[in-house]
C-alpha cells in the first residue's frame, strides 16, 4: 500500500487505541479525481453525488464537499449530515424505497436538487406535500431496468422483482398522468443496478433501457433532462480481483448520453472511499482449536460486518508484531475472529499470517466503505474511533464511544 505507512498506523494505534478506523485524504481525493475525470469531465456532462451511506463521517462529507461532489442520501439522517457538512442543498439527491413523510418534508424544506421517487404512492404523497408548501419539487423516477449486475445477491438492486424502483410500464403511466401531480416536475430517470459491479456490460444494458424509457417519456411530452445512473462501481478487495473499468464505462455511456441531450448523475460510494480506509485492531489471544489456528482480536463483526454479512474477503497484514522482533517470518493459515458471541464473527477466514502474540497490531484493508457506517453496538460494544490522515498529520474525526454513550438513551427512561 502506497500510503498510510506502518509507522504512522502504529503511532495512531498507540495514541488512539484500537479498534480504530483510519482514512487517507489523499487517496480519497485521487479516487474521486479518477471518477470525475472519466465520468463527468465537465459540469454540463454531469455531476458525481457521493453516496453518503458508504462512509458518513461528517469530516469525510466535508472533504467531499471541498472536492466538489454532490451527495446521494437515503434517509432524513443522511440528509441532515450532508447539510451539516455544508452541502449545497441543490447538490443533494434523495433516494430510498421507504421515505417517511417527515423525511420528505425535510427534503422539500431544505430545497434539495432531486428526489428519486420509488413508488406511485410516494409520487402522489410528495406532490401533495409540495403543493401544500407552494413549491415544485424536481424528481426522478427510479426504474428497475431488469439488468443482472453479476454481483452478490444482497448487492443486486436492479432486477425486475427487486423491492427498489417502479416497474417501467407503471413509470410511463405516471409520466402520462403527471398533471395529477402538480407539485412535481418529473425531469429525470434514476437507475441503480447494484453494488460491486466490475463490468462494462451491466452499465451498458442499464443505459440502453434508460434511453428507451426516456424516449418514451419524451414522446409523452415530458421534459427529461437528466439520467442518474446510480453507483456500484466495484473495487478490488484482493490482488487477483479487478475493480470497475471506469474509463471504459465512461467511453460506453457518455457518447449516447450526449446524443440524447442528457446530463448524467452518478452516485458512487465504495469506489471513492473503500481502499482509502483501514481498520486497526490488536491481537487479544491466539489459540488452536481442532487444528484451526485462531487469532482473537479486539475488533469484531459489530465494527466491520461485511465478512459476516456477505462473506466478503478483506486483506489483513501485521503492522507490528512478534515476527519483527524474533525474525520469524513463516506464515500459516489462520482465522482472524472477534470477541462477539457468534460463530459468524469472523473478520478474515483462512488468511496467511506469521506467528502472532498478544498486543500485536493488525491492519484490515479496504475498510473505508461500509465499515464504520454499518457498525453497531451489538454485545454492548462501544463503536470504534475514526482518524483522518492528511498531509502526514492525523486527527481524530470521531471519538471512541465511551460506556456512558451506550446506555444514555435508556438511563433517561430508566423505569
Ligand atoms: N446509489 C444507490 C441507490 C444505492 O443503493 C447505493 C448502494 C449506491 C448508490 C452506492 O453504491 P456503491 O457505489 O457504494 O457500490 N453494504 C454493502 C453495499 C450496499 C450498497 C447499498 N447501496 C457492502 O458492504 O458491500
Amino acid at each position: 500500500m502506497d500510503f498510510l505507512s506502518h509507522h504512522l498506523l502504529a503511532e495512531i494505534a498507540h495514541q488512539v487505541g484500537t479498534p480504530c478506523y483510519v482514512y487517507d485524504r489523499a487517496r480519497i481525493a485521487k479516487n474521486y479525481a479518477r471518477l470525475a475525470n472519466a465520468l463527468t469531465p465537465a459540469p454540463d456532462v454531469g455531476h458525481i453525488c457521493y453516496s453518503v451511506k458508504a462512509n458518513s463521517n461528517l469530516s469525510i462529507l466535508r472533504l467531499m464537499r471541498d472536492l466538489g461532489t454532490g451527495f446521494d442520501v437515503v434517509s432524513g439522517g443522511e440528509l441532515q449530515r450532508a447539510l451539516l457538512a455544508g452541502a449545497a442543498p441543490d447538490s443533494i439527491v434523495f433516494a430510498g424505497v421507504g421515505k417517511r413523510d417527515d423525511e420528505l418534508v425535510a427534503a422539500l424544506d431544505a430545497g434539495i436538487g432531486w428526489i428519486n421517487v420509488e413508488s406511485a404512492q410516494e409520487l402522489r404523497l410528495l406532490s401533495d406535500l409540495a403543493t401544500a408548501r407552494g413549491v415544485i419539487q424536481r424528481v426522478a423516477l427510479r426504474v428497475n431496468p431488469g439488468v443482472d449486475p453479476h454481483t452478490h445477491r444482497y448487492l443486486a438492486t436492479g432486477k425486475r422483482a427487486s423491492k427498489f424502483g417502479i416497474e417501467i410500464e407503471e413509470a410511463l403511466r405516471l409520466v402520462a398522468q403527471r398533471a395529477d401531480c402538480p407539485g412535481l416536475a418529473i425531469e429525470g430517470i434514476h437507475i441503480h443496478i447494484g453494488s460491486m459491479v466490475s463490468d462494462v456490460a451491466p452499465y451498458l444494458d442499464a443505459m440502453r433501457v434508460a434511453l428507451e424509457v426516456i424516449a418514451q417519456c419524451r414522446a409523452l411530452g415530458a421534459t427529461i433532462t437528466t439520467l442518474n445512473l446510480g453507483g456500484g462501481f466495484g473495487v478490488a478487495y484482493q490482488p487477483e480481483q479487478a475493480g470497475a473499468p471506469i474509463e471504459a464505462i465512461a467511453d460506453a455511456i457518455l457518447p449516447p448520453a450526449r446524443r440524447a441531450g442528457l446530463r448524467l448523475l452518478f452516485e458512487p460510494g465504495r469506489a471513492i472511499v473503500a481502499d482509502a480506509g483501514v481498520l486497526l485492531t490488536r491481537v487479544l489471544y491466539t489459540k488452536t482449536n481442532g487444528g484451526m489456528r485462531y487469532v482473537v482480536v479486539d475488533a469484531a463483526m459489530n465494527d466491520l460486518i461485511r465478512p459476516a454479512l456477505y462473506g466478503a474477503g478483506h486483506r489483513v497484514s501485521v503492522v507490528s508484531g512478534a515476527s519483527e522482533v524474533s525474525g520469524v517470518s513463516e506464515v500459516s493459515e489462520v482465522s482472524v475472529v472477534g470477541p462477539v458471541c457468534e460463530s459468524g464473527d469472523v473478520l478474515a477466514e483462512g488468511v496467511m499470517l506469521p506467528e502472532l502474540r498478544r498486543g500485536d497490531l493488525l491492519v484490515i484493508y479496504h475498510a473505508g466503505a461500509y465499515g464504520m457506517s454499518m457498525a453497531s453496538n451489538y454485545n454492548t460494544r462501544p463503536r470504534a474511533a475514526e482518524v483522518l490522515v492528511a498531509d502526514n498529520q492525523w486527527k481524530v474525526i470521531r471519538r471512541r464511544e465511551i460506556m456512558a454513550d451506550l446506555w444514555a438513551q435508556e438511563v433517561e427512561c430508566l423505569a
Side-chain angles (χ1 to χ4, degrees):
M1 190 168 264
D2 54 347
F3 58 99
L4 297 180
S5 73
H6 280 190
H7 177 76
L8 184 64
L9 292 177
E11 178 190 312
I12 292 170
H14 181 68
Q15 295 207 25
V16 180
T18 52
C20 175
Y21 278 97
V22 184
Y23 311 118
D24 184 73
R25 187 178 76 178
R27 183 73 196 199
I28 291 174
K30 189 174 162 191
N31 289 337
Y32 167 67
R34 179 182 172 203
L35 290 166
N37 288 339
L39 296 166
T40 57
D44 62 322
V45 177
H47 198 198
I48 286 180
C49 297
Y50 167 68
S51 192
V52 170
K53 64 178 86 66
N55 187 324
S56 46
N57 183 289
L58 285 176
S59 297
I60 300 291
L61 301 185
R62 174 72 54 89
L63 164 56
M64 297 300 173
R65 184 209 59 179
D66 293 347
L67 290 171
T69 76
F71 295 88
D72 155 44
V73 303
V74 290
S75 67
E78 285 192 353
L79 171 61
Q80 292 308 323
R81 276 186 179 274
L83 293 171
L84 262 174
D90 69 354
S91 75
I92 299 176
V93 304
F94 186 7
V97 70
K99 305 181 196 78
R100 294 159 46 111
D101 296 30
D102 58 299
E103 292 176 312
L104 290 172
V105 165
L108 290 170
D109 288 348
I112 72 167
W114 292 89
I115 298 182
N116 296 336
V117 174
E118 306 215 15
S119 69
Q121 290 179 3
E122 184 192 341
L123 195 74
R124 176 57 66 90
L125 168 66
L126 184 60
S127 176
D128 290 348
L129 293 171
T131 306
R133 274 159 189 74
V135 295
I136 305 235
Q137 174 64 46
R138 194 164 55 169
V139 300
L141 298 182
R142 178 170 179 178
V143 298
N144 284 334
V147 166
D148 183 351
H150 307 128
T151 183
H152 190 287
R153 73 185 172 92
Y154 287 7
L155 304 183
T157 50
K159 294 194 187 171
R160 264 193 172 296
S162 97
K163 73 168 179 174
F164 300 98
I166 306 175
E167 286 191 298
I168 289 171
E169 301 68 27
E170 177 151 41
L172 293 172
R173 191 176 57 73
L174 294 171
V175 168
Q177 297 169 1
R178 63 193 178 285
D180 295 347
C181 292
L184 307 179
I186 303 177
E187 294 181 5
I189 292 293
H190 176 221
I191 288 181
H192 172 75
I193 49 179
S195 207
M196 273 302 279
V197 183
S198 294
D199 297 325
V200 180
Y203 284 101
L204 248 187
D205 291 348
M207 185 76 193
R208 230 172 272 135
V209 175
L211 289 175
E212 180 59 35
V213 172
I214 288 166
Q216 293 187 45
C217 291
R218 286 174 169 170
L220 292 166
T223 310
I224 305 293
T225 60
T226 303
L227 170 59
N228 180 336
L229 268 180
F233 307 115
V235 304
Y237 283 84
Q238 302 292 339
E240 67 276 9
Q241 285 179 328
I246 303 290
E247 291 74 16
I249 292 170
D251 285 348
I253 60 184
L254 263 47
R258 195 179 315 116
R259 281 196 295 277
L262 288 166
R263 190 164 181 267
L264 292 167
L265 295 177
F266 297 95
E267 305 170 332
R270 188 191 319 265
I272 301 183
V273 287
D275 69 359
V278 301
L279 175 59
L280 294 175
T281 183
R282 278 197 199 278
V283 175
L284 293 172
Y285 305 102
T286 62
K287 62 182 179 182
T288 302
N289 279 357
M292 169 60 82
R293 215 185 125 205
Y294 283 102
V295 176
V296 185
V297 296
D298 64 1
M301 66 191 290
N302 74 295
D303 300 299
L304 179 67
I305 202 170
R306 303 194 67 258
L309 195 56
Y310 315 112
H314 286 254
R315 264 187 327 113
V316 182
S317 75
V318 184
V319 175
S320 54
S323 58
E324 269 176 23
V325 182
S326 65
V328 177
S329 60
E330 278 160 55
V331 292
S332 64
E333 197 174 320
V334 299
S335 273
V336 179
V337 299
V340 162
C341 304
E342 301 248 4
S343 303
D345 181 20
V346 178
L347 293 170
E349 194 153 25
V351 288
M352 304 299 283
L353 289 178
E355 182 196 339
L356 290 166
R357 298 206 192 120
R358 277 173 59 73
D360 286 352
L361 183 63
L362 303 184
V363 53
I364 302 178
Y365 292 103
H366 285 77
Y370 306 109
M372 189 62 180
S373 64
M374 293 179 86
S376 76
N377 292 121
Y378 187 38
N379 278 206
T380 306
R381 287 169 51 85
R383 274 175 294 178
E386 292 177 289
V387 165
L388 181 62
V389 176
D391 305 323
N392 281 322
Q393 313 237 314
W394 59 267
K395 197 172 149 207
V396 173
I397 56 170
R398 178 186 165 119
R399 68 160 169 82
R400 182 179 309 287
E401 276 175 337
I402 57 170
M403 291 288 174
D405 292 330
L406 300 178
W407 39 78
Q409 296 95 326
E410 295 155 61
V411 168
E412 286 166 14
C413 311
L414 190 58

